[in-house]
Amino acid sequence: QVQLVESGGGLVQTGGSLRLSCAVSGIVFSIKAMGWYRQAPGKQREFVAGITSGRGGSGHYADSVQGRFTISRDNAKNMMYLQMNSLKPEDTAGYYCNAVPEYDSWGQGTQVTVSS
């Protein structure tokens, strides 16, 4: 069974940066396309960024984060990352990692709060 553990969230000011990490176990990580998702209070969970399988991987992004966020993966460590720059208050949400398409099981997420 897949296990997903997110970390790296926190409180930052507008324009700041954070780097999220996702530790994955229970699957053959290198062959799975993976993604980051987020859910703000009162809103549905939304796709943020995805990365293709294999070595290196190719990233794709939601329009709202294009040019500010960078997704990456380290298949040797079963890890995925999200570098978030130029953060805005509207980026405030719980951030989750999962496969693309996602598994039914989700981790606990990591909270990102951007103050104005």
Side-chain angles (χ1 to χ4, degrees):
Q1 183 177 354
V2 62
Q3 289 189 319
L4 306 159
V5 180
E6 302 89 349
S7 62
L11 172 64
V12 295
Q13 292 185 333
T14 297
S17 297
L18 283 173
R19 187 190 191 215
L20 306 185
S21 298
C22 170
V24 182
S25 60
I27 62 171
V28 183
F29 177 71
S30 62
I31 65 170
K32 293 296 294 184
M34 298 293 297
W36 285 96
Y37 305 79
R38 68 186 181 187
Q39 187 169 21
K43 295 187 177 181
Q44 289 190 332
R45 188 173 288 155
E46 64 176 356
F47 171 83
V48 174
I51 188 166
T52 55
S53 61
R55 194 173 184 178
S58 176
H60 52 283
Y61 302 91
D63 289 345
S64 58
V65 306
Q66 180 75 48
R68 299 188 297 121
F69 291 10
T70 303
I71 190 170
S72 61
R73 65 190 298 161
D74 185 337
N75 290 336
K77 297 180 179 179
N78 283 14
M79 294 290 295
M80 183 174 64
Y81 307 97
L82 186 68
Q83 178 66 43
M84 305 187 297
N85 298 329
S86 303
L87 283 161
K88 304 176 181 180
E90 50 263 44
D91 295 319
T92 295
Y95 282 72
Y96 302 83
C97 61
N98 209 316
V100 179
E102 59 266 33
Y103 292 105
D104 290 338
S105 177
W106 292 82
Q108 83 288 350
T110 188
Q111 179 66 32
V112 172
T113 303
V114 185
S115 64
S116 58

